Amino acid sequence: MAVMDGTLLLLDVDGVLNPVRRSSPRFRRFECVAEGEWFRLLLDPRHGAKLTALRRETGATLTWATTWGERANTEIGPRIGLPPLPVIPIDGDPPRPPGVNLKTWHVAEYVRGRPFVWFDDDLGPADLEFLHGHPGVGEFLVVAVDPRDGLGDAHLDAARRWLTARRRQAAR
C-alpha cells in the first residue's frame, strides 16, 4: 500500500453510490428504514471492492461525506462490502454563502489541510469557490457524479490519476 499524507477519499451516498435510477443491471434494490422513514436504495455491490482497491493503491482514507452520517456504516457499507468508515459529521446548519451546499462547510472544517478527492453529485461553482477560499482546505479534486447514473469507472480513474500524480510530485 502506498503511504500518503493523510489524503482522504470522500464518499457521498445519494446520487453517487445510490443513483436516482437503475443505470445498470448490476445495481440491486434494497429498502431500509432510517429515523422512521423508508428509503429505496439502488446499490452496486462491486463498488465496495473498487473503492477498497483505490484505497489500497493510493493509501487514501475512505470517509463518508453524506447526510446519511453513521447510518452509511450500517445501511450502505455492508451492502457493498465496505467496512465501517470515518464519518464527517453533517449536523446543524452553519451560516454559509448563498449556493454553498451544507456538506461543503462541514467538509472544509473536517479536512484540516489534508488533500482530498470528493465524489459528489450536488456541488457547483459556489462550493468550489468556498473550498478554494477556506483556510483549512488544501489541495483537492471534486469528482462530479451524474446522479442518474452514479459512480462509474471513469470517476474512479479520475481520482486514481489525481492521487497518483500527487504521489509522484511528492516523491520528487
Side-chain angles (χ1 to χ4, degrees):
M1 171 172 57
V3 176
M4 297 226 15
D5 47 12
T7 301
L8 303 169
L9 279 167
L10 307 182
L11 298 170
D12 183 28
V13 172
D14 294 321
V16 175
L17 297 176
N18 177 32
V20 297
R21 67 181 174 97
R22 190 179 209 162
S23 58
S24 146
R26 294 184 307 270
F27 282 87
R28 296 186 186 155
R29 293 183 191 278
F30 298 93
E31 289 185 356
C32 71
V33 178
E35 296 180 10
E37 280 190 64
W38 281 92
F39 288 91
R40 176 194 60 94
L41 298 170
L42 292 171
L43 300 173
D44 182 346
R46 299 175 326 141
H47 278 149
K50 289 180 178 192
L51 288 163
T52 299
L54 181 59
R55 179 204 53 81
R56 188 174 49 251
E57 293 167 23
T58 64
T61 301
L62 288 167
T63 304
W64 295 114
T66 173
T67 56
W68 280 78
E70 284 293 338
R71 293 177 316 199
N73 280 324
T74 58
E75 301 294 341
I76 309 301
R79 290 182 166 122
I80 62 172
L82 287 177
L85 304 177
V87 175
I88 296 175
I90 313 272
D91 50 4
D93 191 6
R96 59 196 185 281
V100 173
N101 187 302
L102 170 67
K103 291 182 294 185
T104 303
W105 186 89
H106 291 286
V107 164
E109 291 296 308
Y110 182 86
V111 297
R112 293 184 210 103
R114 292 173 288 183
F116 64 93
V117 172
W118 187 3
F119 297 110
D120 202 285
D121 68 309
D122 194 26
L123 303 177
D127 296 288
L128 297 177
E129 184 177 325
F130 182 83
L131 290 170
H132 282 296
H134 194 281
V137 175
E139 292 180 278
F140 67 90
L141 172 68
V142 169
V143 179
V145 176
D146 185 328
R148 295 171 297 181
D149 300 320
L151 186 70
D153 289 343
H155 303 112
L156 297 168
D157 289 343
R160 185 176 287 107
R161 282 190 304 274
W162 189 83
L163 292 165
T164 301
R166 282 196 77 260
R167 187 173 59 226
R168 286 185 187 138
Q169 285 177 339
R172 288 185 196 164

